[in-house]
Amino acid sequence: PTTSSPGPSPRPTPRSSPAPTPLPGHPTAAPVFAPTPRPTPTPTPRPTRAPSPIPTPMPTTEPPSPSPTHRPTRIPTPAPSQAQTLVQVASSVTLEGVNPVLFNADKTGRQAAFAQSIMDSTGGLFEEIIDIVAAGRRRLDDGGAGVAISYTGIARIDGTDNGEQVSAELLEQSMDAMTLAVYDGSFLATLQASDPSFAAVTMDVEATQAAIEA
C-alpha cells in the first residue's frame, strides 16, 4: 500500500486589514500643534475727556426799569446860631389866701398857672419862669399875713456885644409891664382864671410893687 504523505499546507496569506477610518474629530495622526502666536498687548486707548455740558444759564428776570429820580433838593443848612445873652429877672408877688405847702407841691397845676400868668402879664418878654417858691410872711404894718411867691423870669437875647444894655432894657420893660398888670388888676384876673385854687385869692399890691421895684 501506498501511503501518501501529507503535502505541505500552504502558508496562510495574511489578509490585509484595511486602515482604520479615522473618526471625525479624532485624528489618529499625531497632532500637529500650530504655533501659538505671542500675545500682543492690546493698546490701551488714551482716555478721552468726557465733554462737560455747557452750563445753561438760569433764566434771569430783566432788571426793573429805573424809575425817574427826582433831582435831589438841597436841605437848607441852618445858619450858625448866634451867641445869646441870658437875662434873669427875679421878683415876687404877694398873695393872700394861698396855702404855700400845697402851692409848692403842685408844680404842674398851681405853679404852672402862676408862671403862665406872669408871662402873659409881661407881654411875652420872658421865655420861661423858674425858681417858683411860695413862702409865708407877715406884714409888719398892719399885722396881716400874706404869702410871697418868688420867681425868676428868663429871657434869651441874640448877641453878646451889648449884653448889659439889653439886660437893663428888658428889666425896665418887665417892671413896667408887671406894674401895670398889678395896678389895673389884670394879673390877678388872669391868675384867678388860670386855676380854680386861685379863685378866691387876693393880692397885696403894695408888697408886690415893692418887690418889683427892689
Side-chain angles (χ1 to χ4, degrees):
T2 54
T3 60
S4 59
S5 57
S9 302
R11 181 177 295 180
T13 304
R15 182 177 296 176
S16 58
S17 58
T21 304
L23 294 175
H26 295 281
T28 57
V32 178
F33 296 98
T36 304
R38 179 176 297 175
T40 58
T42 305
T44 303
R46 179 176 297 175
T48 59
R49 295 183 179 178
S52 57
I54 299 176
T56 305
M58 294 288 293
T60 57
T61 56
E62 293 185 1
S65 58
S67 57
T69 56
H70 301 285
R71 176 176 294 179
T73 57
R74 293 184 178 181
I75 300 176
T77 304
S81 58
Q82 287 184 317
Q84 294 181 326
T85 299
L86 179 65
V87 181
Q88 302 184 52
V89 177
S91 187
S92 67
V93 174
T94 301
L95 300 174
E96 295 181 3
V98 174
N99 186 322
V101 176
L102 296 179
F103 180 87
N104 291 332
D106 189 8
K107 295 184 179 299
T108 59
R110 292 174 173 85
Q111 290 191 31
F114 177 85
Q116 189 61 50
S117 298
I118 294 292
M119 288 191 291
D120 293 343
S121 298
T122 53
L125 292 175
F126 298 129
E127 297 179 12
E128 59 179 331
I129 305 297
I130 63 173
D131 301 334
I132 303 172
V133 179
R137 59 179 294 272
R138 182 172 298 276
R139 291 171 57 184
L140 300 178
D141 51 358
D142 58 3
V147 175
I149 302 176
S150 60
Y151 65 90
T152 301
I154 299 297
R156 295 175 178 85
I157 309 299
D158 291 336
T160 57
D161 295 338
N162 55 345
E164 292 184 3
Q165 178 182 351
V166 169
S167 298
E169 291 176 354
L170 189 139
L171 174 60
E172 183 178 357
Q173 292 172 5
S174 65
M175 290 174 59
D176 292 343
M178 195 63 190
T179 297
L180 179 61
V182 167
Y183 278 107
D184 67 7
S186 59
F187 170 75
L188 183 60
T190 301
L191 181 64
Q192 290 172 335
S194 65
D195 191 277
S197 62
F198 296 128
V201 299
T202 59
M203 181 173 57
D204 187 332
V205 175
E206 293 182 6
T208 300
Q209 185 60 35
I212 293 174
E213 296 175 356

